Amino acid sequence: MLEKTTFPIARIRVPAKRAKTLDPAKVEALAESILEEGQLTPIRVRADGADFVLIEGLHRLEALKALGEETVEGYLAHARLH
């Protein structure tokens, strides 16, 4: 089971392919929602050395950046060993 953790936004890298899907209108709407209700849905990241790579939650991450937040709630996904 995944545990919710707080991650420093500055240490999360967004893959270039994922960044191309960014919708500024969606980011703005989410930022307004986060101001009113807080972050309701955690993002998902995976470890990459001392930093993290975004798996899910690009718009939430960008909305929090736009609001000047330094941390984000999320889940750390672990690679499965086969």
Side-chain angles (χ1 to χ4, degrees), residues 3-4 16 18 20-21 26 31 34 36-37 41 50 59 62-65 67 80-82:
E3 263 188 57
K4 198 182 322 183
R18 168 117 347 159
K20 290 179 183 177
T21 66
K26 191 170 182 180
I34 289 170
E36 293 173 9
E37 302 174 41
T41 308
H59 291 92
E62 293 301 323
L64 287 163
K65 281 183 188 178
L67 292 171
R80 294 183 183 157
L81 300 176
H82 294 285

Side-chain angles (χ1 to χ4, degrees), residues 16-79:
K17 192 174 186 179
R18 168 117 347 159
K20 290 179 183 177
T21 66
L22 189 66
D23 178 352
K26 191 170 182 180
V27 170
E28 188 176 329
L30 269 170
E32 289 178 21
S33 172
I34 289 170
L35 277 176
E36 293 173 9
E37 302 174 41
Q39 182 189 348
L40 301 177
T41 308
I43 65 167
R44 283 189 359 168
V45 296
R46 66 174 170 81
D48 184 31
D51 294 324
F52 306 95
V53 176
L54 183 72
I55 297 173
E56 182 182 309
L58 173 63
H59 291 92
R60 283 168 272 163
L61 180 66
E62 293 301 323
L64 287 163
K65 281 183 188 178
L67 292 171
E69 296 293 329
E70 294 184 7
T71 60
V72 58
E73 288 186 346
Y75 296 117
L76 178 61
H78 300 280

